[in-house]
Amino acid sequence: MASWEGMQEFAAVADSGSFTRAARRLGISIAQVSRQVGQLEERLGARLLYRTTRQLSLTEAGELYLTHCRQLLESLADAEQAVSQLQAEPQGQLKLTAPLAYGHSHIAPLVLEFMQRYPLLEVSLDLSNQVQDLVHDGYDLAIRIGRLTDSSLMARKLGQRRHHVCASPDYLARHGAPRRPQELLQHQCLQIGNDGWHLQVNGRRQTFRVQGRMRCSTAAPLAEAAMRGMGLAQLPDYYVAAHLASGALVEVLADYAEPEEGIWALYPHNRQLSPKVRLLVDFLADSLAGGACQAGGARQ
């Protein structure tokens, strides 16, 4: 620790412009401050301060060393604060955003459970399909699905999802199962939004404009409609995995399904992940990995 000795005293003298004020700030004697700074200069082999009876100023070496001192002392303070917070119960505010449908069905319930574990936390959860600027808008965390494009953000994968084209056995018995994507035009297709259905043909993504009697902004009603035999639906696995397993729905066009998409937790690259945010990310990762969200641009 010899290389750290005198740094705090030197920085306090430089910032306050006085050995007396530095000693008062640090709660030690003037003699101790002077001794520590003197030993620091001796160890560095350079004068850091010009001292006169009326004035104290930094040398060129002192100005350079002070810049690095401040960075090191701030990092040390951050490290001590991080460890201290880690030992204490998480508290304060957390601000996060997530896609509307997925956030409502999967993230919000987990956030509520997390808040029950840590009652001193205050959470602001923004469910929106609009991509927010995390740094500008002050978000601690964002949940996003699909391909990541913003290299200024750090990412941790929470899980993955895959879309399935499926229908009820009753519907397939009445109308037959499509064998190629082009045959979708002959079927009732239950749609989310107006983007069409994305499938992979000969290794390339293609968009198919489908049509049907029902269109909805969220997936859950379409899963229900598909189970009632009202048509085909293309839905993420966390909406239909249990129904596929039970036989209430049957997958078609599986050979044309797109690869899995990632479900990600994102946070600003230049912002150290605080213990409370890290706890939430770990909780989400453990919960989603153990649930139905195992198979994920930003389609919701």
Side-chain angles (χ1 to χ4, degrees):
M1 287 296 293
S3 59
W4 284 85
E5 291 180 1
M7 289 178 56
Q8 189 176 29
E9 291 80 1
F10 165 67
V13 171
D15 289 338
S16 65
S18 162
F19 279 82
T20 302
R21 286 191 291 270
R24 190 179 303 122
R25 176 190 297 181
L26 297 174
I28 57 179
S29 68
I30 300 174
Q32 186 174 352
V33 173
S34 180
R35 182 171 60 254
Q36 290 285 6
V37 173
Q39 290 175 351
L40 176 63
E41 290 179 318
E42 182 178 347
R43 188 167 69 249
L44 294 173
R47 181 180 291 277
L48 301 176
L49 297 166
Y50 290 121
R51 307 171 179 84
T52 68
T53 56
R54 296 186 176 183
Q55 186 174 326
L56 184 148
S57 61
L58 292 171
T59 66
E60 181 181 0
E63 290 180 354
L64 177 63
Y65 191 69
L66 178 62
T67 300
H68 293 284
C69 272
R70 284 172 173 159
Q71 294 174 352
L72 290 169
L73 292 171
E74 288 174 2
S75 296
L76 179 61
D78 288 343
E80 292 176 347
Q81 183 180 15
V83 172
S84 176
Q85 290 177 347
L86 190 62
Q87 305 304 317
E89 182 176 358
Q91 57 185 294
Q93 295 186 344
L94 273 175
K95 185 177 181 181
L96 66 151
T97 180
L100 181 60
Y102 183 74
H104 182 271
S105 62
H106 289 76
I107 300 301
L110 293 176
V111 168
L112 293 178
E113 184 177 344
F114 188 75
M115 292 177 69
Q116 287 181 309
R117 290 190 182 190
Y118 304 107
L120 297 181
L121 281 175
E122 299 178 13
V123 175
S124 174
L125 175 59
D126 179 13
L127 300 181
S128 171
N129 292 338
Q130 181 178 351
V131 177
Q132 308 288 357
D133 186 323
L134 270 64
V135 176
H136 182 268
D137 296 325
Y139 286 95
D140 297 296
L141 188 67
I143 308 301
R144 292 183 184 161
I145 300 174
R147 184 178 302 170
L148 302 179
T149 58
D150 192 342
S151 60
S152 68
L153 298 175
M154 298 294 290
R156 176 175 173 184
K157 192 173 185 179
L158 301 178
Q160 57 274 340
R161 74 170 185 182
R162 187 168 74 86
H163 280 73
H164 303 260
V165 177
C166 52
S168 70
D170 174 63
Y171 177 88
L172 296 177
R174 288 184 285 116
H175 300 281
R179 299 182 182 276
R180 298 183 304 137
Q182 293 79 356
E183 296 177 14
L184 289 172
L185 293 176
Q186 304 168 18
H187 288 267
Q188 286 287 328
C189 296
L190 311 167
Q191 302 176 68
I192 299 178
N194 299 302
D195 293 337
W197 288 6
H198 304 300
L199 295 167
Q200 194 146 18
V201 180
N202 297 325
R204 289 188 172 185
R205 187 190 209 201
Q206 292 189 17
T207 300
F208 294 86
R209 299 297 172 183
V210 297
Q211 54 190 359
R213 296 170 53 208
M214 184 176 182
R215 192 186 310 273
C216 187
S217 61
T218 58
L222 298 183
E224 177 66 25
M227 286 190 290
R228 294 190 182 200
M230 296 175 63
L232 296 162
Q234 186 185 47
L235 299 171
D237 44 15
Y238 41 79
Y239 285 105
V240 298
H243 305 313
L244 291 171
S246 70
L249 291 174
V250 177
E251 183 173 12
V252 298
L253 300 177
D255 291 341
Y256 298 92
E258 287 197 291
E260 293 176 338
E261 299 176 308
I263 301 173
W264 306 91
L266 304 182
Y267 51 93
H269 192 282
N270 60 350
R271 185 179 301 169
Q272 185 176 356
L273 198 59
S274 68
K276 60 188 175 185
V277 176
R278 187 180 301 278
L279 270 177
L280 176 57
V281 172
D282 289 343
F283 175 75
L284 292 175
D286 292 342
S287 301
L288 295 175
C293 304
Q294 278 300 291
R299 285 160 40 215
Q300 313 311 330

